Amino acid sequence: MSFQDYELKKLLTLWINDGLMSIFFFLIGLELKRELLIGEINNLKKAAFPFITVLGSVLVPIALYLFLNQNPENIKGWRILGYLILRFTKSKKANKTNY
């Protein structure tokens, strides 16, 4: 796809995927902001445990992956693990019901 001197060299599916990922992370940011301002974690004392838990649940599996995977060709695979963890936590929160 090109317009005058400007040309887009990626496939259309890659542009769509990148756009959807941007929207996904934007929505995560908005949801986090809402929780911090008016939600259940609106002060530091309430927010400390969830933030430590989230950091641990993301960093520990990534550290384990990096420790066990010493092949330089596969070392960039930690990004996939990080994305899957975020996606899983988002889906778990979406399926959570309050009774």
Side-chain angles (χ1 to χ4, degrees), residues 20-50:
L20 291 175
M21 286 296 294
S22 299
I23 292 169
F24 169 73
F25 284 110
F26 178 71
L27 291 175
I28 287 177
L30 288 177
E31 190 173 330
L32 181 60
K33 181 179 178 182
R34 180 190 167 282
E35 286 295 323
L36 288 171
L37 294 178
I38 60 172
E40 295 182 19
I41 55 173
N42 58 2
N43 65 30
L44 187 59
K45 188 174 181 177
K46 291 180 183 178
F49 183 70

Side-chain angles (χ1 to χ4, degrees), residues 54-70 74-86:
V54 167
L55 283 176
S57 67
V58 172
L59 295 178
V60 169
I62 291 173
L64 186 63
Y65 176 85
L66 293 173
F67 176 73
L68 295 175
N69 196 356
Q70 299 296 323
N74 298 333
I75 204 78
K76 293 181 182 178
W78 69 268
R79 297 176 194 160
I80 297 169
L81 183 61
Y83 168 73
L84 290 175
I85 292 167
L86 286 175

